[in-house]
Amino acid sequence: MKRREFKLLQSQADIEAGFELMRQLRPQLGDLDSFTQQIDRQSQQGYRLSGLWQDEKLAGLIGFRESENMLYGRHLYVDDLVVAVSLRNSGLGADLLNKVRDEAKRLDCTFIVLDTSLQKPMAQRFYYREGLLATGMRFVQKLGTT
């Protein structure tokens, strides 16, 4: 059986180890320095990035934050969820979501919430299979050039 270990990415080395894997999900990411600075800024706003190691290799990442609003009350919002391409369909994504579910329950959150692109039908199928339901659409307007 393969050994799996979850760990919050806190050290510089751990965060750097997650860069290439995160680029599979977010190809627009610039260089390693920009990524680590982005993680630092988001962490100051409550973002946490956890990794899942399988046989001592970083195999998946899930980034999330605790939030509260009128729609969901206290909830955990999943910003990022990625499993290495070579390891998809191996149960790692479900393990990552289960870890966040456990954390949400520990924090007395009512929901976990995430967004996914309309152009990602495989991700949508995965989320449905994991018990997440599509409840709306997100509308976005880009402002300025940044």
Side-chain angles (χ1 to χ4, degrees):
M1 184 168 156
K2 299 186 184 233
R3 190 172 82 76
R4 293 181 178 174
E5 176 186 5
F6 290 95
K7 185 168 92 172
L8 189 63
L9 277 67
Q10 294 179 303
S11 74
Q12 189 68 22
D14 285 345
I15 291 169
E16 289 175 4
F19 175 63
E20 289 302 325
L21 185 54
M22 186 63 81
R23 282 179 54 135
Q24 290 181 20
L25 177 66
R26 309 281 183 226
Q28 76 279 9
L29 288 173
D31 57 29
L32 179 60
D33 286 338
S34 298
F35 173 68
T36 58
Q37 291 170 17
Q38 182 74 33
I39 294 293
D40 183 55
R41 285 191 304 274
Q42 287 182 220
S43 293
Q44 292 175 28
Q45 300 169 31
Y47 177 82
R48 291 181 274 169
L49 183 61
S50 287
L52 174 55
W53 276 259
Q54 180 168 286
D55 296 331
E56 300 183 24
K57 180 183 177 197
L58 185 58
L61 296 170
I62 190 162
F64 59 96
R65 55 194 154 99
E66 188 177 353
S67 190
E68 186 170 358
N69 61 26
M70 298 289 184
L71 181 58
Y72 300 113
R74 287 174 50 94
H75 63 280
L76 278 190
Y77 182 84
V78 177
D79 290 89
D80 309 294
L81 173 58
V82 61
V83 171
V85 173
S86 63
L87 296 171
R88 292 188 183 154
N89 299 314
S90 64
L92 293 169
D95 287 349
L96 287 162
L97 276 175
N98 284 332
K99 189 70 169 174
V100 167
R101 281 186 187 107
D102 291 345
E103 181 67 3
K105 290 172 186 174
R106 187 184 73 76
L107 295 169
D108 293 323
C109 292
T110 309
F111 292 94
I112 59 169
V113 179
L114 61 80
D115 292 319
T116 191
S117 170
L118 293 173
Q119 292 81 22
K120 294 187 177 185
M122 298 307 287
Q124 294 166 24
R125 286 179 52 189
F126 167 73
Y127 296 132
Y128 281 121
R129 210 172 42 245
E130 288 301 311
L132 285 89
L133 301 175
T135 60
M137 293 177 64
R138 173 161 286 177
F139 292 88
V140 177
Q141 180 180 34
K142 185 174 181 179
L143 305 173
T145 58
T146 52

